[in-house]
Amino acid sequence: DGDVYKYYADGEWKKSTSGKSVSIINPTTRKPQYKVQACSQEEVNKVMDSAKSAQKSWAKTPLWKRAELLHKAAAILKEHKAAIAECLVKEIAKPAKDAVTEVVRSGDLVSYCAEEGVRILGEGKFLVSDSFPGNERTKYCLTSKIPLGVILAIPPFNYPVNLAVSKIAPALIAGNSIVLKPPTQGAVAALHMVHCFHLAGFPKGLISCVTGKGSEIGDFLTMHPGVNCISFTGGDTGIAISKKAGMIPLQMELGGKDACIVLEDADLDLVAANIIKGGFSYSGQRCTAVKVVLVIESVADALVEKVNAKVAKLSVGAPEDDSDITPVVSESSANFIEGLVNDAKQKGATFCQEYKREGNLIWPLLLDNVRPDMRIAWEEPFGPVLPVIRINSVEEGIHHCNASNFGLQGCVFTKDINKAMLISDAMESGTIQINSAPARGPDHFPFQGIKDSGIGSQGITNSINMMTKIKTTVINLP
Ligand code: G3P
């Protein structure tokens, strides 16, 4: 069947022997756009075997050669930005310009990773024994970083390319092999990205990309004995994976309910601009999106007015037209968002705009006077709907932030840097941005969540380190 995109294994594009495929629904048209192979468990087993043997020789490939191939892949990726971006537009309704940005950012990430890898993996430590009580200087200890083996990479739909390469590139530079399971929405963009790595000439079996149904190969992949590390970005599934996975390192980036605390002295124009960017870019479908505004009552009216003026200017429509607000990824996602909106309505939230939905397209909506008994005060809509909670003290804001199950990022707006630092320390989140909306990038910054927001830390340097293990050799003198 020529219409079904092939999966990638052993350096070749293959049809699944299952004879089955999975349809990718275009969020805008709500019609099938592409089909990918529904790989079988048997095919996963084969991929794991190849990944294991390819990794053995890859680990012996000089570091500079690994870096060279990654630089080549990065350049090819950037050359193919238009074709890949087109898939992102059709599969996940990412606005056209943002789709191109995602691919370019991915190329930059791969190059940076190659450079960072040659530096941090190119050096180790030397320790002597006589610093520890009772020892003479008779033992010399040498450390180096060795790869973990086969890394299973599972990126989410919102960055199928960028959050795939943020796992692939650190894994490869560190001498690991990669098995990629892309999200269904975004799988074709991911396959195109893998093709760029194929063109760069990586050894056969080192990189594989299996597509298919989570119900068929999801648990099978994450519980597979051949996997030595899982790097996952997504939602609640990550919690389930962490419970089922074996004794292997896990890197998990899950949801967030990033709070934006606004103090009386904040520059409200700056806050409003950041709420728009942080809350509504890619229609709120980012784990680092601003997901609750906690504003001091005395400036709340003024802030809400400024945000509303900007919401009115957001264009709403198709991703092809580069609209600011585009359809959310699926009908079930749109229904979930609508459920949160209805709950807030019933419980008396103030609707700053009329709620409007056509298919998967939801118009941007600011909900004022949200109270803690409303679901939207705690749950992440992953859509263009943003709650505002008015607070009477900073402590109240910090308390709301810390009462959340999530702790990915947060932000605080004030001109008083001393206050900002104290609030940052008090907020139980992986990163606090002072006077800017939460964001993962630049991609070499550490990125981590606490509580249900994740395990471990990402960012280029941390990911490379996480995908290695320390190996020591001790020279014992007579
Ligand atoms: O939702 C994925 C998360 O990693 C966000 O990335 O770049 O939009 O802050 P970014």
Side-chain angles (χ1 to χ4, degrees):
D1 186 348
D3 289 326
V4 185
Y5 276 87
K6 291 175 178 163
Y7 77 102
Y8 186 67
D10 284 317
E12 285 170 27
W13 295 98
K14 298 186 179 186
K15 272 194 205 171
S16 170
T17 51
S18 74
K20 291 185 207 150
S21 63
V22 182
S23 281
I24 297 167
I25 309 294
N26 180 324
T28 312
T29 62
R30 291 189 291 155
K31 296 202 170 100
Q33 181 76 41
Y34 305 117
K35 280 182 192 165
V36 291
Q37 307 289 329
C39 292
S40 66
Q41 296 185 352
E42 200 183 313
E43 282 155 345
V44 168
N45 280 335
K46 278 193 192 149
V47 154
M48 289 295 170
D49 285 346
S50 323
K52 193 170 181 174
S53 61
Q55 191 268 328
K56 299 263 180 249
S57 38
W58 180 243
K60 293 187 188 112
T61 304
L63 188 49
W64 68 265
K65 272 196 187 169
R66 289 186 231 152
E68 203 171 70
L69 277 171
L70 282 168
H71 280 301
K72 206 168 161 191
I76 298 171
L77 195 56
K78 285 188 179 181
E79 279 165 27
H80 288 71
K81 66 181 177 193
I84 298 174
E86 195 189 317
C87 301
L88 293 171
V89 167
K90 302 289 183 210
E91 288 182 284
I92 61 162
K94 185 163 275 200
K97 270 194 207 127
D98 293 350
V100 175
T101 306
E102 176 175 344
V103 185
V104 174
R105 174 183 178 181
S106 301
D108 290 338
L109 191 157
V110 174
S111 292
Y112 194 106
C113 208
E115 285 164 19
E116 185 72 349
V118 292
R119 304 285 168 256
I120 64 174
L121 300 168
E123 58 185 38
K125 271 190 181 172
F126 171 60
L127 294 86
V128 288
S129 51
D130 62 336
S131 54
F132 198 87
N135 282 273
E136 299 297 318
R137 191 181 272 248
T138 52
K139 292 173 188 286
Y140 293 163
C141 179
L142 303 165
T143 76
S144 62
K145 285 174 184 160
I146 57 166
L148 297 176
V150 179
I151 313 282
L152 173 62
I154 310 181
F157 81 83
N158 63 350
Y159 287 95
V161 176
N162 185 267
L163 284 170
V165 300
S166 74
K167 304 170 190 316
I168 295 171
L172 293 179
I173 192 69
N176 300 287
S177 60
I178 268 284
V179 174
L180 173 69
K181 163 65 179 75
T184 297
Q185 306 283 142
V188 176
L191 290 168
H192 275 69
M193 175 274 294
V194 168
H195 189 59
C196 297
F197 281 76
H198 170 78
L199 294 175
F202 284 90
K204 284 187 166 74
L206 188 70
I207 303 167
S208 322
C209 183
V210 288
T211 52
K213 292 200 175 79
S215 56
E216 174 73 15
I217 56 167
D219 280 354
F220 192 75
L221 275 163
T222 54
M223 294 166 76
H224 201 284
V227 172
N228 303 111
C229 165
I230 303 174
S231 180
F232 174 92
T233 307
D236 291 350
T237 317
I239 296 177
I241 292 174
S242 71
K243 288 182 180 148
K244 290 181 203 162
M247 199 183 71
I248 53 171
L250 302 178
Q251 188 180 44
M252 297 265 159
E253 192 234 308
L254 313 181
K257 186 70 183 172
D258 294 9
C260 171
I261 299 183
V262 186
L263 272 54
E264 283 137 313
D265 70 340
D267 174 344
L268 295 184
D269 289 310
L270 179 74
V271 182
N274 275 279
I275 287 176
I276 292 295
K277 185 167 153 261
F280 296 100
S281 54
Y282 188 38
S283 307
Q285 298 173 107
R286 297 163 54 234
C287 19
T288 50
V290 169
K291 297 212 178 89
V292 59
V293 177
L294 299 154
V295 56
I296 295 281
E297 177 70 57
S298 60
V299 291
D301 283 343
L303 179 64
V304 166
E305 199 185 311
K306 284 180 191 288
V307 175
N308 280 336
K310 290 184 188 291
V311 167
K313 287 190 188 143
L314 291 172
S315 57
V316 181
E320 287 84 354
D321 302 334
D322 209 33
S323 305
D324 297 315
I325 302 294
T326 54
V328 296
V329 71
S330 65
E331 193 171 338
S332 65
S333 177
N335 291 344
F336 176 78
I337 297 161
E338 190 163 295
L340 293 179
V341 170
N342 288 340
D343 173 79
K345 182 157 204 135
Q346 262 175 27
K347 292 174 183 161
T350 306
F351 279 55
C352 298
Q353 294 78 23
E354 200 187 327
Y355 173 67
K356 195 174 163 194
R357 170 181 171 186
E358 275 172 20
N360 297 344
L361 185 60
I362 293 176
W363 269 251
L365 175 61
L366 193 72
L367 297 172
D368 195 1
N369 296 302
V370 164
R371 287 192 321 265
D373 64 326
M374 299 175 191
R375 285 175 56 205
I376 199 152
W378 306 104
E379 296 179 42
E380 47 171 356
F382 238 66
V385 179
L386 181 59
V388 176
I389 299 181
R390 293 169 175 238
I391 52 174
N392 292 307
S393 67
V394 172
E395 288 70 29
E396 206 183 317
I398 294 169
H399 179 264
H400 186 93
C401 165
N402 293 351
S404 170
N405 291 337
F406 294 116
L408 188 60
Q409 292 210 357
C411 57
V412 53
F413 286 86
T414 171
K415 293 190 185 106
D416 184 337
I417 188 68
N418 298 327
K419 270 192 196 163
M421 284 307 299
L422 289 173
I423 294 168
S424 170
D425 286 349
M427 288 170 81
E428 293 166 4
S429 295
T431 299
I432 304 299
Q433 305 267 351
I434 296 172
N435 292 325
S436 185
R440 173 169 46 116
D443 290 337
H444 65 305
F445 280 15
F447 181 50
Q448 56 281 318
I450 58 176
K451 296 190 265 185
D452 285 353
S453 289
I455 304 176
S457 182
Q458 300 177 77
I460 289 171
T461 314
N462 286 343
S463 290
I464 295 172
N465 283 326
M466 187 266 171
M467 291 173 182
T468 60
K469 199 164 195 156
I470 304 285
K471 164 86 183 260
T472 55
T473 302
V474 181
I475 303 170
N476 288 274
L477 303 179

